[in-house]
Amino acid sequence: MHASAPVQRSRAEALAPFAQGLTESLRGELRGWALLAVGSLAMAGALALLLGLGRVPNAQAYLPWDLATFFNTALVTHVVFSVVIWYLAVLGALAVIAAARARCVGPSLDGMGRAGLWFAWIGALLLLVPTLLNQGAPSLNNYVPVLIHPLYYIGLSLLAIGVAMPVLRLFVRPMRLAGTVAFGTAMVGLVYLVALVCFVLAWIAVPADADIANINERLFWGGGHVLQFVNTGLMLILWSVLAKHVFGAAPLSPPLYRLCMASLLLFVLPGPAIYALTDIMGIAHRNAFTELLWYGLTLPPVVFSLGLAVQTWERRTALPWRDPAFLALALSVLVFNIGGVMGFFLGVSDTRTPSHYHLVITGANLAMLGGFLVLILPLLGRPAGEGRAVRVPFWLYAGGQMLWSISMFIAGLSGVPRKTVGS
Protein backbone atom coordinates (compact mmCIF):
# COMPACT_ATOMS: atom_id res chain seq x y z
CA MET A 1 0.00 0.00 0.00
CA HIS A 2 1.60 3.23 -1.13
CA ALA A 3 0.99 6.56 0.51
CA SER A 4 -1.92 8.47 -0.99
CA ALA A 5 -1.62 12.06 -2.17
CA PRO A 6 -3.24 13.51 1.01
CA VAL A 7 -0.89 11.44 3.18
CA GLN A 8 2.09 12.58 1.13
CA ARG A 9 1.01 16.20 1.57
CA SER A 10 0.61 15.74 5.34
CA ARG A 11 4.10 14.23 5.52
CA ALA A 12 5.55 17.17 3.64
CA GLU A 13 3.74 19.54 5.99
CA ALA A 14 5.19 17.69 8.99
CA LEU A 15 8.71 18.34 7.69
CA ALA A 16 8.02 22.00 6.96
CA PRO A 17 8.90 23.38 10.45
CA PHE A 18 12.31 21.74 10.27
CA ALA A 19 12.93 22.71 6.66
CA GLN A 20 12.00 26.35 7.30
CA GLY A 21 14.64 26.72 10.01
CA LEU A 22 17.28 24.72 8.15
CA THR A 23 19.61 27.43 6.86
CA GLU A 24 22.31 26.61 4.34
CA SER A 25 24.84 26.49 7.18
CA LEU A 26 22.71 24.05 9.20
CA ARG A 27 22.01 22.01 6.08
CA GLY A 28 25.76 21.65 5.55
CA GLU A 29 26.16 20.53 9.18
CA LEU A 30 23.36 18.00 8.80
CA ARG A 31 24.98 16.63 5.67
CA GLY A 32 28.29 16.31 7.52
CA TRP A 33 26.76 14.39 10.45
CA ALA A 34 24.79 12.17 8.06
CA LEU A 35 27.94 11.34 6.11
CA LEU A 36 29.79 10.58 9.35
CA ALA A 37 26.97 8.28 10.47
CA VAL A 38 26.74 6.38 7.19
CA GLY A 39 30.52 6.41 6.77
CA SER A 40 30.99 4.89 10.22
CA LEU A 41 28.71 1.99 9.27
CA ALA A 42 30.59 1.55 5.99
CA MET A 43 33.93 1.47 7.81
CA ALA A 44 32.57 -0.94 10.40
CA GLY A 45 31.41 -3.18 7.55
CA ALA A 46 34.80 -3.01 5.83
CA LEU A 47 36.54 -3.99 9.06
CA ALA A 48 34.05 -6.83 9.56
CA LEU A 49 34.93 -8.05 6.05
CA LEU A 50 38.60 -8.03 7.00
CA LEU A 51 37.74 -10.01 10.14
CA GLY A 52 36.04 -12.59 7.93
CA LEU A 53 38.94 -12.70 5.47
CA GLY A 54 41.27 -13.22 8.39
CA ARG A 55 39.70 -16.65 8.89
CA VAL A 56 40.10 -17.69 5.25
CA PRO A 57 42.98 -20.16 4.69
CA ASN A 58 46.07 -18.59 3.10
CA ALA A 59 44.57 -15.06 3.33
CA GLN A 60 47.68 -13.97 5.24
CA ALA A 61 49.67 -14.08 2.02
CA TYR A 62 47.47 -11.38 0.44
CA LEU A 63 46.78 -9.03 3.37
CA PRO A 64 49.30 -6.48 4.64
CA TRP A 65 48.80 -7.24 8.35
CA ASP A 66 49.83 -9.94 10.77
CA LEU A 67 46.42 -11.51 11.23
CA ALA A 68 47.38 -13.00 14.58
CA THR A 69 47.38 -9.46 16.01
CA PHE A 70 45.23 -7.55 13.51
CA PHE A 71 42.09 -9.60 14.23
CA ASN A 72 41.51 -8.04 17.68
CA THR A 73 42.78 -4.65 16.48
CA ALA A 74 40.16 -4.58 13.71
CA LEU A 75 37.52 -5.98 16.06
CA VAL A 76 37.98 -3.07 18.50
CA THR A 77 37.59 -0.39 15.83
CA HIS A 78 34.72 -2.27 14.17
CA VAL A 79 32.80 -2.07 17.47
CA VAL A 80 33.67 1.60 18.05
CA PHE A 81 32.51 2.64 14.57
CA SER A 82 29.36 0.52 14.62
CA VAL A 83 28.02 1.20 18.14
CA VAL A 84 29.73 4.42 19.25
CA ILE A 85 30.39 6.73 16.28
CA TRP A 86 27.22 5.65 14.45
CA TYR A 87 24.96 6.49 17.39
CA LEU A 88 26.76 9.71 18.31
CA ALA A 89 26.65 10.90 14.69
CA VAL A 90 22.88 10.32 14.68
CA LEU A 91 22.70 12.40 17.88
CA GLY A 92 24.70 15.12 16.11
CA ALA A 93 22.31 15.05 13.15
CA LEU A 94 19.22 15.26 15.38
CA ALA A 95 20.83 18.11 17.33
CA VAL A 96 21.15 20.05 14.07
CA ILE A 97 17.50 19.36 13.19
CA ALA A 98 16.45 20.43 16.70
CA ALA A 99 18.53 23.60 16.33
CA ALA A 100 16.70 24.38 13.10
CA ARG A 101 13.37 23.87 14.87
CA ALA A 102 14.44 26.08 17.79
CA ARG A 103 15.96 28.70 15.45
CA CYS A 104 19.42 28.36 17.04
CA VAL A 105 21.12 30.26 14.22
CA GLY A 106 23.65 33.05 13.94
CA PRO A 107 27.34 33.39 13.02
CA SER A 108 28.67 32.34 16.43
CA LEU A 109 26.21 29.44 16.76
CA ASP A 110 26.91 28.28 13.20
CA GLY A 111 30.63 28.38 13.96
CA MET A 112 30.08 26.33 17.08
CA GLY A 113 28.25 23.66 15.10
CA ARG A 114 30.83 23.52 12.32
CA ALA A 115 33.66 23.26 14.85
CA GLY A 116 31.91 20.33 16.52
CA LEU A 117 31.52 18.56 13.20
CA TRP A 118 35.21 19.03 12.39
CA PHE A 119 36.26 17.73 15.81
CA ALA A 120 34.08 14.64 15.35
CA TRP A 121 35.42 13.90 11.86
CA ILE A 122 39.05 14.39 12.88
CA GLY A 123 38.49 12.20 15.93
CA ALA A 124 36.99 9.41 13.81
CA LEU A 125 39.86 9.57 11.32
CA LEU A 126 42.45 9.46 14.10
CA LEU A 127 40.93 6.20 15.32
CA LEU A 128 41.77 4.63 11.96
CA VAL A 129 45.47 5.51 12.03
CA PRO A 130 46.63 3.00 14.70
CA THR A 131 44.06 0.51 13.42
CA LEU A 132 45.32 0.42 9.84
CA LEU A 133 48.94 0.51 11.03
CA ASN A 134 48.12 -2.40 13.38
CA GLN A 135 49.53 -0.52 16.35
CA GLY A 136 48.39 -0.43 19.96
CA ALA A 137 47.38 -3.35 22.14
CA PRO A 138 43.63 -4.12 21.91
CA SER A 139 41.65 -3.67 25.12
CA LEU A 140 38.35 -5.54 24.78
CA ASN A 141 36.64 -3.72 27.63
CA ASN A 142 32.89 -3.19 27.79
CA TYR A 143 30.99 -0.46 25.87
CA VAL A 144 33.96 1.42 24.36
CA PRO A 145 36.82 -0.98 23.55
CA VAL A 146 40.08 0.78 22.72
CA LEU A 147 43.51 0.35 21.24
CA ILE A 148 46.11 1.35 23.81
CA HIS A 149 47.68 4.06 21.68
CA PRO A 150 47.79 7.87 22.24
CA LEU A 151 46.07 8.63 18.94
CA TYR A 152 43.15 6.40 19.89
CA TYR A 153 42.47 8.22 23.15
CA ILE A 154 42.90 11.59 21.42
CA GLY A 155 40.47 10.52 18.69
CA LEU A 156 37.82 9.45 21.20
CA SER A 157 38.26 12.72 23.10
CA LEU A 158 37.85 14.85 19.97
CA LEU A 159 34.79 12.84 18.97
CA ALA A 160 33.24 13.37 22.41
CA ILE A 161 33.89 17.11 22.33
CA GLY A 162 32.63 17.39 18.77
CA VAL A 163 29.28 15.78 19.57
CA ALA A 164 28.90 17.90 22.72
CA MET A 165 29.09 21.20 20.78
CA PRO A 166 25.83 20.93 18.76
CA VAL A 167 24.16 19.56 21.90
CA LEU A 168 25.24 22.55 23.98
CA ARG A 169 24.07 24.92 21.24
CA LEU A 170 20.49 23.76 21.81
CA PHE A 171 20.40 25.35 25.26
CA VAL A 172 21.05 28.85 23.97
CA ARG A 173 17.29 29.02 23.43
CA PRO A 174 15.88 26.25 25.67
CA MET A 175 12.36 27.69 25.73
CA ARG A 176 12.02 26.84 22.03
CA LEU A 177 12.84 23.16 22.48
CA ALA A 178 9.27 21.99 21.98
CA GLY A 179 8.04 19.20 19.76
CA THR A 180 9.04 15.58 19.41
CA VAL A 181 12.52 15.93 17.94
CA ALA A 182 13.60 19.12 19.70
CA PHE A 183 12.50 18.17 23.22
CA GLY A 184 13.60 14.54 22.89
CA THR A 185 17.00 15.50 21.51
CA ALA A 186 17.46 18.04 24.32
CA MET A 187 16.82 15.35 26.94
CA VAL A 188 19.06 12.82 25.21
CA GLY A 189 21.71 15.52 24.78
CA LEU A 190 21.71 16.19 28.52
CA VAL A 191 22.06 12.46 29.15
CA TYR A 192 25.07 12.51 26.82
CA LEU A 193 26.63 15.35 28.79
CA VAL A 194 26.16 13.30 31.99
CA ALA A 195 28.01 10.44 30.28
CA LEU A 196 30.91 12.79 29.52
CA VAL A 197 31.01 13.88 33.17
CA CYS A 198 31.18 10.20 34.17
CA PHE A 199 34.10 9.58 31.83
CA VAL A 200 36.00 12.56 33.27
CA LEU A 201 35.32 11.50 36.86
CA ALA A 202 36.45 7.96 36.05
CA TRP A 203 39.66 9.30 34.51
CA ILE A 204 40.33 11.21 37.76
CA ALA A 205 39.36 8.35 40.08
CA VAL A 206 41.01 5.33 38.48
CA PRO A 207 44.33 4.41 40.18
CA ALA A 208 47.37 5.10 38.03
CA ASP A 209 49.10 1.94 39.22
CA ALA A 210 46.32 -0.42 38.04
CA ASP A 211 46.97 -2.60 35.01
CA ILE A 212 45.95 -0.94 31.75
CA ALA A 213 43.17 -3.43 30.91
CA ASN A 214 41.53 -2.79 34.29
CA ILE A 215 41.96 0.96 33.86
CA ASN A 216 40.10 0.88 30.54
CA GLU A 217 37.33 -1.31 31.92
CA ARG A 218 36.71 1.07 34.83
CA LEU A 219 37.22 4.18 32.71
CA PHE A 220 34.41 3.29 30.30
CA TRP A 221 32.11 1.32 32.64
CA GLY A 222 29.98 4.09 34.15
CA GLY A 223 29.86 6.44 31.17
CA GLY A 224 29.27 3.44 28.89
CA HIS A 225 26.17 2.54 30.88
CA VAL A 226 24.90 6.11 30.58
CA LEU A 227 25.49 6.00 26.81
CA GLN A 228 22.95 3.17 26.61
CA PHE A 229 20.34 5.70 27.78
CA VAL A 230 21.48 7.92 24.88
CA ASN A 231 21.09 5.10 22.36
CA THR A 232 17.67 4.11 23.70
CA GLY A 233 16.52 7.73 23.78
CA LEU A 234 17.49 8.20 20.13
CA MET A 235 15.45 5.11 19.27
CA LEU A 236 12.39 6.40 21.14
CA ILE A 237 12.58 9.76 19.37
CA LEU A 238 12.65 8.03 16.02
CA TRP A 239 9.87 5.63 16.97
CA SER A 240 7.73 8.75 17.44
CA VAL A 241 8.91 10.26 14.17
CA LEU A 242 8.20 7.04 12.28
CA ALA A 243 4.77 6.63 13.92
CA LYS A 244 3.81 10.17 12.91
CA HIS A 245 4.99 9.43 9.39
CA VAL A 246 3.07 6.14 9.14
CA PHE A 247 -0.06 6.72 11.26
CA GLY A 248 -0.26 10.51 11.20
CA ALA A 249 -0.05 10.68 15.01
CA ALA A 250 2.51 10.07 17.75
CA PRO A 251 2.15 6.91 19.87
CA LEU A 252 2.05 8.91 23.13
CA SER A 253 0.35 12.12 24.20
CA PRO A 254 2.76 15.10 24.44
CA PRO A 255 2.80 15.10 28.29
CA LEU A 256 3.47 11.34 28.45
CA TYR A 257 6.16 11.63 25.75
CA ARG A 258 7.91 14.41 27.67
CA LEU A 259 7.66 12.41 30.90
CA CYS A 260 9.23 9.32 29.32
CA MET A 261 12.08 11.29 27.74
CA ALA A 262 12.71 13.28 30.91
CA SER A 263 12.81 10.03 32.91
CA LEU A 264 15.89 8.97 30.95
CA LEU A 265 17.66 12.06 32.25
CA LEU A 266 16.27 11.62 35.76
CA PHE A 267 17.65 8.09 36.07
CA VAL A 268 21.19 8.99 34.98
CA LEU A 269 21.54 12.08 37.20
CA PRO A 270 22.82 9.97 40.12
CA GLY A 271 25.58 8.60 37.88
CA PRO A 272 28.28 11.15 38.74
CA ALA A 273 27.53 10.78 42.45
CA ILE A 274 28.37 7.07 42.25
CA TYR A 275 32.03 8.02 41.81
CA ALA A 276 31.98 9.85 45.14
CA LEU A 277 30.02 7.19 46.99
CA THR A 278 31.83 4.05 45.81
CA ASP A 279 35.34 2.82 45.07
CA ILE A 280 35.75 2.80 41.30
CA MET A 281 37.69 -0.47 41.52
CA GLY A 282 35.09 -2.19 43.72
CA ILE A 283 32.12 -4.40 42.96
CA ALA A 284 29.68 -1.90 44.49
CA HIS A 285 30.64 0.63 41.80
CA ARG A 286 29.99 -1.88 39.01
CA ASN A 287 26.68 -2.99 40.51
CA ALA A 288 25.47 0.59 40.99
CA PHE A 289 25.69 1.35 37.27
CA THR A 290 24.23 -2.05 36.38
CA GLU A 291 21.19 -1.32 38.55
CA LEU A 292 20.93 2.15 37.03
CA LEU A 293 20.56 0.50 33.63
CA TRP A 294 18.29 -2.27 34.91
CA TYR A 295 15.72 0.03 36.51
CA GLY A 296 16.04 3.13 34.34
CA LEU A 297 15.86 1.63 30.86
CA THR A 298 12.95 -0.75 31.31
CA LEU A 299 9.85 1.42 31.58
CA PRO A 300 10.16 4.04 28.76
CA PRO A 301 10.49 1.48 25.90
CA VAL A 302 7.61 -0.53 27.39
CA VAL A 303 5.36 2.55 27.47
CA PHE A 304 6.28 3.43 23.87
CA SER A 305 5.77 -0.17 22.75
CA LEU A 306 2.29 -0.27 24.26
CA GLY A 307 1.37 2.99 22.55
CA LEU A 308 2.63 1.67 19.22
CA ALA A 309 0.79 -1.62 19.75
CA VAL A 310 -2.47 0.28 20.20
CA GLN A 311 -1.85 2.29 17.01
CA THR A 312 -1.06 -0.89 15.08
CA TRP A 313 -4.13 -2.70 16.40
CA GLU A 314 -6.39 0.17 15.36
CA ARG A 315 -4.96 -0.03 11.81
CA ARG A 316 -4.64 -3.84 11.69
CA THR A 317 -6.80 -4.27 8.59
CA ALA A 318 -4.81 -1.74 6.55
CA LEU A 319 -1.21 -1.90 7.69
CA PRO A 320 1.14 -0.40 5.05
CA TRP A 321 3.62 -3.29 4.75
CA ARG A 322 5.01 -1.83 1.51
CA ASP A 323 6.02 1.36 3.29
CA PRO A 324 9.70 1.11 4.38
CA ALA A 325 8.95 3.48 7.26
CA PHE A 326 6.37 1.07 8.66
CA LEU A 327 8.74 -1.85 8.17
CA ALA A 328 11.49 0.00 10.03
CA LEU A 329 9.12 0.83 12.88
CA ALA A 330 7.44 -2.58 13.19
CA LEU A 331 10.65 -4.59 12.94
CA SER A 332 12.47 -2.24 15.30
CA VAL A 333 9.82 -2.59 18.01
CA LEU A 334 9.59 -6.37 17.55
CA VAL A 335 13.34 -7.05 17.56
CA PHE A 336 14.10 -4.65 20.40
CA ASN A 337 11.46 -6.17 22.68
CA ILE A 338 12.52 -9.75 21.96
CA GLY A 339 16.07 -8.73 22.84
CA GLY A 340 14.78 -7.01 25.97
CA VAL A 341 12.97 -10.14 27.12
CA MET A 342 16.15 -12.16 26.51
CA GLY A 343 17.91 -9.78 28.88
CA PHE A 344 15.94 -11.22 31.80
CA PHE A 345 17.35 -14.71 31.14
CA LEU A 346 21.09 -14.09 30.90
CA GLY A 347 23.62 -16.56 32.21
CA VAL A 348 27.14 -16.03 33.48
CA SER A 349 29.43 -15.19 30.55
CA ASP A 350 27.74 -17.45 28.01
CA THR A 351 26.40 -16.58 24.55
CA ARG A 352 23.01 -15.51 25.86
CA THR A 353 24.60 -12.13 26.63
CA PRO A 354 25.59 -11.30 23.01
CA SER A 355 22.24 -12.67 21.81
CA HIS A 356 20.50 -10.10 24.03
CA TYR A 357 22.56 -7.05 23.18
CA HIS A 358 22.76 -7.76 19.46
CA LEU A 359 18.97 -7.73 19.24
CA VAL A 360 18.49 -4.52 21.22
CA ILE A 361 21.23 -2.91 19.12
CA THR A 362 19.48 -4.14 15.97
CA GLY A 363 16.20 -2.67 17.19
CA ALA A 364 17.82 0.71 17.74
CA ASN A 365 19.61 0.54 14.39
CA LEU A 366 16.38 -0.19 12.51
CA ALA A 367 14.76 2.88 14.07
CA MET A 368 17.72 5.06 13.10
CA LEU A 369 17.81 3.74 9.56
CA GLY A 370 14.08 4.51 9.37
CA GLY A 371 14.84 7.99 10.69
CA PHE A 372 17.24 8.52 7.80
CA LEU A 373 14.49 7.54 5.35
CA VAL A 374 11.72 9.79 6.67
CA LEU A 375 13.57 12.70 8.25
CA ILE A 376 17.26 13.18 7.49
CA LEU A 377 17.39 12.30 3.78
CA PRO A 378 14.23 14.27 2.87
CA LEU A 379 15.59 17.33 4.67
CA LEU A 380 18.74 17.00 2.57
CA GLY A 381 16.66 16.77 -0.62
CA ARG A 382 17.52 13.08 -1.12
CA PRO A 383 14.31 11.04 -0.60
CA ALA A 384 14.93 7.29 -0.77
CA GLY A 385 11.63 6.13 -2.27
CA GLU A 386 9.54 3.11 -1.25
CA GLY A 387 10.58 0.42 -3.72
CA ARG A 388 11.59 -3.17 -3.08
CA ALA A 389 15.29 -2.23 -3.01
CA VAL A 390 14.54 -0.08 0.06
CA ARG A 391 12.24 -2.59 1.78
CA VAL A 392 14.17 -5.84 1.38
CA PRO A 393 17.27 -4.80 3.39
CA PHE A 394 15.08 -4.20 6.45
CA TRP A 395 13.75 -7.77 6.25
CA LEU A 396 17.22 -9.19 5.66
CA TYR A 397 18.83 -7.27 8.51
CA ALA A 398 16.09 -7.93 11.06
CA GLY A 399 15.62 -11.57 10.01
CA GLY A 400 19.34 -12.31 9.92
CA GLN A 401 19.94 -10.85 13.36
CA MET A 402 16.92 -12.68 14.77
CA LEU A 403 18.18 -16.02 13.42
CA TRP A 404 21.72 -15.39 14.69
CA SER A 405 20.66 -14.15 18.14
CA ILE A 406 18.11 -16.91 18.80
CA SER A 407 20.77 -19.45 17.83
CA MET A 408 23.25 -17.82 20.21
CA PHE A 409 20.64 -17.83 22.97
CA ILE A 410 20.02 -21.56 22.52
CA ALA A 411 23.78 -22.16 22.47
CA GLY A 412 24.11 -20.21 25.71
CA LEU A 413 21.46 -22.39 27.34
CA SER A 414 23.78 -25.31 26.53
CA GLY A 415 26.66 -23.56 28.29
CA VAL A 416 28.63 -22.29 25.28
CA PRO A 417 30.94 -19.54 26.59
CA ARG A 418 31.18 -16.08 25.00
CA LYS A 419 34.41 -14.54 23.68
CA THR A 420 35.88 -18.01 23.30
CA VAL A 421 37.16 -19.76 20.17
CA GLY A 422 37.34 -23.53 19.85
CA SER A 423 35.94 -24.68 23.18
Side-chain angles (χ1 to χ4, degrees):
M1 179 185 298
H2 293 282
S4 63
V7 171
Q8 290 174 338
R9 283 197 298 271
S10 67
R11 291 175 177 178
E13 291 167 359
L15 287 174
F18 303 108
Q20 290 169 1
L22 202 64
T23 64
E24 282 305 309
S25 179
L26 289 178
R27 192 183 304 276
E29 278 185 53
L30 180 59
R31 185 178 297 110
W33 287 110
L35 286 172
L36 180 59
V38 175
S40 69
L41 289 185
M43 181 54 63
L47 291 170
L49 178 61
L50 291 176
L51 292 173
L53 289 175
R55 293 174 179 263
V56 174
N58 300 318
Q60 177 69 67
Y62 302 97
L63 296 175
W65 303 283
D66 177 5
L67 294 182
T69 58
F70 184 70
F71 184 87
N72 281 336
T73 298
L75 178 61
V76 164
T77 303
H78 162 75
V79 171
V80 170
F81 272 78
S82 60
V83 297
V84 178
I85 299 178
W86 156 243
Y87 288 130
L88 295 184
V90 172
L91 173 58
L94 290 182
V96 173
I97 295 171
R101 187 73 172 86
R103 302 295 195 272
C104 294
V105 295
S108 60
L109 296 178
D110 290 349
M112 184 177 182
R114 286 194 298 271
L117 182 59
W118 274 105
F119 278 138
W121 267 95
I122 293 170
L125 293 174
L126 285 179
L127 297 177
L128 291 175
V129 175
T131 303
L132 297 180
L133 294 178
N134 197 17
Q135 295 182 358
S139 177
L140 301 176
N141 46 278
N142 284 289
Y143 294 115
V144 188
V146 295
L147 298 180
I148 302 170
H149 190 285
L151 285 181
Y152 217 83
Y153 292 99
I154 294 171
L156 288 173
S157 300
L158 289 176
L159 174 70
I161 294 169
V163 176
M165 295 178 78
V167 168
L168 289 170
R169 177 175 59 185
L170 294 177
F171 299 98
V172 173
R173 296 187 175 93
M175 297 304 294
R176 296 188 180 184
L177 295 173
T180 299
V181 174
F183 181 83
T185 304
M187 292 297 101
V188 173
L190 288 173
V191 172
Y192 173 71
L193 297 178
V194 172
L196 296 190
V197 171
C198 288
F199 288 133
V200 172
L201 291 176
W203 184 268
I204 295 169
V206 72
D209 58 351
D211 65 276
I212 188 63
N214 208 5
I215 287 176
N216 282 320
E217 177 67 19
R218 303 300 176 146
L219 176 61
F220 293 105
W221 180 257
H225 275 76
V226 177
L227 284 181
Q228 307 318 301
F229 286 80
V230 172
N231 301 341
T232 304
L234 294 173
M235 180 187 71
L236 298 180
I237 293 169
L238 293 171
W239 278 2
S240 290
V241 170
L242 288 166
K244 283 186 176 180
H245 182 88
V246 173
F247 300 120
L252 304 180
S253 66
L256 185 55
Y257 173 80
R258 289 193 291 269
L259 179 62
C260 284
M261 299 307 298
S263 73
L264 297 175
L265 175 61
L266 180 64
F267 273 103
V268 303
L269 286 179
I274 293 174
Y275 292 90
L277 299 174
T278 63
D279 176 10
I280 193 172
M281 306 302 289
I283 191 65
H285 180 85
R286 291 179 64 88
N287 289 343
F289 277 105
T290 300
E291 291 177 1
L292 205 69
L293 202 68
W294 184 269
Y295 294 110
L297 270 190
T298 302
L299 190 58
V302 169
V303 173
F304 270 80
S305 297
L306 291 174
L308 289 164
V310 170
Q311 284 188 309
T312 304
W313 178 257
E314 291 173 346
R315 288 278 301 274
R316 62 189 180 277
T317 58
L319 293 176
W321 288 104
R322 291 182 176 274
D323 185 351
F326 176 73
L327 271 186
L329 178 61
L331 293 174
S332 173
V333 175
L334 175 66
V335 170
F336 182 86
N337 280 286
I338 292 175
V341 171
M342 284 182 174
F344 288 96
F345 301 96
L346 299 185
V348 179
S349 200
D350 60 45
T351 55
R352 282 175 288 180
T353 298
S355 73
H356 153 69
Y357 68 67
H358 275 83
L359 279 188
V360 295
I361 286 171
T362 298
N365 285 349
L366 286 164
M368 293 180 201
L369 294 171
F372 262 81
L373 287 179
V374 306
L375 183 62
I376 295 174
L377 290 177
L379 286 175
L380 292 174
R382 302 295 295 270
E386 298 185 356
R388 180 178 298 178
V390 181
R391 298 194 305 271
V392 168
F394 285 100
W395 285 111
L396 291 176
Y397 179 48
Q401 288 291 333
M402 282 283 291
L403 178 63
W404 185 89
S405 294
I406 291 172
S407 301
M408 291 288 281
F409 190 84
I410 295 171
L413 289 174
S414 303
V416 176
R418 62 185 295 216
K419 297 183 180 179
T420 304
V421 177
S423 299

